[in-house]
Amino acid sequence: IACGNGRDTFFFSKMGILSTGIDISIKPKSENPKFIKSNLLKFNYDEYNVLYLRFIIHSLTEKELDDLLENISNSNGDK
């Protein structure tokens, strides 16, 4: 979540971890790993079972962080 230039997403992918980078600002041109340009506060996280957030929590307001965590917690964890 908030992958920026995709550095960590590319790293996870090289380690054999199926990865998707999500960021509102850019969309690296790559099919593997996959990148999605989207608002992380409104993104549907239902199909993901692990979420990685680095260098984003400190950038969010308390309300934005609450909204993000609520969105994540409302995701379908049965998958």
Side-chain angles (χ1 to χ4, degrees), residues 42-72:
K42 298 178 182 186
F43 188 78
N44 182 341
Y45 297 100
D46 284 352
E47 69 180 85
Y48 302 95
N49 57 13
V50 175
L51 302 174
Y52 174 78
L53 295 92
R54 182 175 182 198
F55 302 126
I56 186 60
I57 292 175
H58 70 281
S59 300
L60 300 174
T61 66
E62 189 172 338
K63 168 86 168 90
E64 290 170 331
L65 181 56
D66 287 345
D67 290 347
L68 174 61
L69 294 176
E70 182 176 340
N71 183 12
I72 291 169

Side-chain angles (χ1 to χ4, degrees), residues 1-72:
I1 300 175
C3 68
N5 66 7
R7 180 187 67 186
D8 291 347
T9 310
F10 283 113
F11 171 79
F12 291 135
S13 182
K14 287 179 186 175
M15 299 304 290
I17 300 168
L18 181 60
S19 303
T20 301
I22 303 163
D23 198 287
I24 197 168
S25 62
I26 64 167
K27 183 178 178 186
K29 294 183 188 315
S30 174
E31 295 296 321
N32 185 21
K34 176 177 155 185
F35 289 93
I36 299 171
K37 184 172 182 175
S38 180
N39 182 331
L40 63 100
L41 301 176
K42 298 178 182 186
F43 188 78
N44 182 341
Y45 297 100
D46 284 352
E47 69 180 85
Y48 302 95
N49 57 13
V50 175
L51 302 174
Y52 174 78
L53 295 92
R54 182 175 182 198
F55 302 126
I56 186 60
I57 292 175
H58 70 281
S59 300
L60 300 174
T61 66
E62 189 172 338
K63 168 86 168 90
E64 290 170 331
L65 181 56
D66 287 345
D67 290 347
L68 174 61
L69 294 176
E70 182 176 340
N71 183 12
I72 291 169

